[in-house]
Amino acid sequence: MRLAKTHHTMSSLSIRNLHVRIGEKEILKGLTLEIPKGEVHAIMGPNGSGKSTLSKVIAGHPDYTVTAGEVFLDGEDILGLEPDVRARKGIFLAFQYPIEIPGVTNANFLRAAVQARLPEGEELEATEFYARMYEKMDLLEMPRAFTGRAVNEGFSGGEKKRNEILQMAMLEPKYAVLDETDSGLDIDALKVVAHGVNSLRGPDLGILIITHYQRLLDYIVPDYVHVMMDGRIVQSGPKELALELEARGYDFIKEGLERAEAVAG
Ligand code: ADP
Ligand code: MG
């Protein structure tokens, strides 16, 4: 018997022909991308190409209007779901600019977030929670004093990024989107964050890393690299594509595309 051919695999974050507007302006113009569980994919692209827009649309940010296309999580259409529902289903987004939450300590924030993902009626044990949090903090070389500070308030750029990875480690998502996790990091902080992300890699997690520079990919080596320009993925390839981009710049891809368009007439 032949199985019916399904459009989307059951274990991937699958994005097809996505068109997104903000106000009257179309930003994503038919973007297609598939991130199988267990793989790390990187998107590189010039500023303004729509990378952060893509990450926010995956998370369900209300400012963006999807006019066409699909986003499937393990075979389930998630475009109609609220951001918190998507998060509980296993989508995690680390923001390019993490928000501060004055008055709420890191520990309380994480505890509430982990608690919110448990089945109804299940209570998170305090001792178990703290043991897990300290384990993940050690991994990210975060001092214990972090737990008592308000979320991201007065944190340096590097501390905020590390905090985002701590949130990810605690929430154990199925798919994580890391938007410019490298921006604002010095080389030591970058290595710590990369070590944290690498230690979370595994068969149950798909990771999408969005970055402007190749540097992060020296430390988190992706399975695939995609180049995004003007709201679309214009080229995909193995990790070496990142090195080529670094060496030759985005213009060489743009010129290639223009030549191809000219030939196509
Ligand atoms: P990237 O992350 O690749 O630099 P963005 O997704 O941030 O790109 O932005 C893509 C385009 O969408 C840019 O031209 C940007 O000015 C525009 N844009 C993004 N967010 C908004 C917004 N909230 N309002 C208006 N334009 C926006
Ligand atoms: Mg961006």
Side-chain angles (χ1 to χ4, degrees), residues 105-127:
T105 66
N106 246 335
N108 282 341
F109 176 78
L110 286 172
R111 200 167 164 188
V114 174
Q115 176 70 53
R117 278 159 184 72
L118 294 178
E120 195 142 348
E122 213 171 289
E123 199 54 44
L124 181 66
E125 285 285 343
T127 47

Side-chain angles (χ1 to χ4, degrees), residues 22-23 25-28 45-54 56 61 63-64 96 179-180 210 212 228:
I22 183 151
K25 187 177 173 193
E26 186 169 53
I27 296 171
L28 300 186
N47 277 327
S49 52
K51 304 183 299 297
S52 291
T53 299
L54 172 65
K56 289 178 196 165
H61 195 294
D63 285 356
Y64 300 86
Q96 184 169 0
D179 189 6
E180 306 252 356
I210 296 175
H212 187 68
M228 183 162 175

Side-chain angles (χ1 to χ4, degrees), residues 21-35:
R21 279 195 292 111
I22 183 151
E24 292 304 304
K25 187 177 173 193
E26 186 169 53
I27 296 171
L28 300 186
K29 304 172 180 175
L31 184 139
T32 295
L33 179 69
E34 179 146 357
I35 301 144

